[in-house]
Amino acid sequence: MGRHSRKGPGAVSPDASTAQPGGERGASAPAAGSGRRRRVAPATPNGGPSAPFPDAPHVRGGHPEQHEPGGGWGTGPQPRAGEVYGAPAAAAGAPSHDRPHPRPAPGDGAPAAQRDATARQRAVARQVSAQREAQRVSDGRTAQQPAADAGVMPGPRREFIDAFDADAPTTGPDAPGEGPGTGADGVAGGPGPRRDARGGWGRTLTGIAAAVVTAVLAVVVAGQVADDSARRTAGARATGVDRDGSSDASRSDARSAPEHPASRPPEVKPLSYADRMARPYPLSADLTADGEFDAVPGLAEAPGEGRKYRYRVDVEEGLGLDAGLFAEAVQKTLNDDRSWAHDGAMTFERISTGSPDFVITLASPGTTGAWCAKSGLDTTIDNVSCDSAATDRVMINAYRWAQGSATFGPDKMLSYRQMLINHEVGHRLGHNHVSCRTPGTLAPVMQQQTKSLDLEGIRCEPNPWAHPGG
């Protein structure tokens, strides 16, 4: 039963549009599932309702719905007098504000009618919202909305969410526009199919429009981000700050700093023959090694056409000297044109096997003294070398080879070693000692230059060659 009864034909309550025929307002159950209260629509000047859904039941009291500005919750299209929204007016010609609401179909309960009305209301609201949003998209207003941040993708508007709202069922007795007792126009009691084709196509078109708008916005934002990044990169390169894509990042720990030239180790070049021959080497003046000799391996052929002398080079074990350098020095010195091979008179060949004409031996001072004593020579007084004529050995004192002599000095080590070889081999070739006769001239190679360059008041200059003029 309604709360009030009509007092007469002229008394029309504000809820007259929802009153049942006979003067009593039909009892209506609240709509199920929404949990929200509807706004009471004010009357329009033409007497019709201002709400977009004239067939929706009014709810007493409460606050109006709070929705996003610009959404699909406007007043909607207004029906003309004598029409029900979406259907012809009743034959009785009743005014729109006195027009009765559709009755539930026979056999349907009040809750089912309310659900059906609520479902239709939602379907119509989605359609209206989708149509308005599509109109805004076509006007280009949506594309003009500036992005707050070029790096943030804008989210969908309320209309897109409402358009894809799945609250209303699409099939079953509660689906809008279909079910028993509902006609093709959505009015209760009508026969035939009841699905609103416009609502389905509206949702489809709205989804397509939303996808297009979202894709366009994504392309625009991506283009802005790429353009901004390109401008920053170009600016960084123009100022010389481009460092592998990072203009202000510090150097990576994995990247090594340029090496300072002073910190590089000096490049070690192999010493030349002259450099090695000019250096002194450590060796004790009273060293006596074990007396065992090793022949320097290899063959150094005689380079000249004169008389050939074949020799072998032996080096005593335990000296710590370069045996190869000593053998090389012997071969080069003897075959030099300033030496005994002058003018092709003779040539020298080093062998390591077979029977040599003599053996040039590098030995410790103690061993040298022992081999020289075999030929009646004493080399221990001045630590000198000798040609042991009683044997096949030409003895070179290793101490003198390593340290040189005071007569030549440390800056003429190469010349002293050449003199040492030429002097002792000259004895093997039959030459005796010769003294200098002209002061200031070069001393003869057969003079005992290790001991002195000043004999009988005549001082001469050191000389390593038998034919110094070449």
Side-chain angles (χ1 to χ4, degrees), residues 384-453:
V384 293
S385 303
C386 79
D387 170 37
S388 181
T391 68
D392 60 353
R393 294 187 180 275
V394 176
M395 303 300 298
I396 303 296
N397 193 318
Y399 171 74
R400 291 300 180 184
W401 174 265
Q403 293 291 313
S405 68
T407 54
F408 277 73
D411 58 336
K412 294 182 179 179
M413 289 294 300
L414 173 59
S415 296
Y416 176 76
R417 288 166 178 163
Q418 291 169 335
M419 184 277 299
L420 197 58
I421 294 170
N422 279 326
H423 181 91
E424 300 305 334
V425 171
H427 283 304
R428 176 62 59 165
L429 296 176
H431 298 281
N432 295 320
H433 287 148
V434 178
S435 298
C436 177
R437 296 302 180 192
T438 305
T441 59
L442 293 175
V445 72
M446 294 309 297
Q447 183 173 327
Q448 293 180 302
Q449 298 182 60
T450 299
K451 293 181 178 181
S452 176
L453 291 173

Side-chain angles (χ1 to χ4, degrees), residues 9 25-26 68 130 152 166 240-241 302 388 421 452 470:
R25 190 172 65 183
E68 176 182 348
V152 179
V241 192
S388 181
I421 294 170
S452 176

Side-chain angles (χ1 to χ4, degrees), residues 267-281:
E267 184 179 358
V268 179
K269 295 181 179 180
L271 294 176
S272 65
Y273 165 78
D275 292 335
R276 290 181 292 163
M277 287 289 286
R279 297 177 60 185
Y281 299 100

Side-chain angles (χ1 to χ4, degrees), residues 232-233 236-237 240-252 255:
R232 287 199 301 268
T233 303
R237 289 178 179 173
V241 192
D242 188 9
R243 274 198 244 153
D244 294 336
S246 177
S247 61
D248 57 350
S250 62
R251 280 187 174 274
S252 171
R255 184 185 299 177

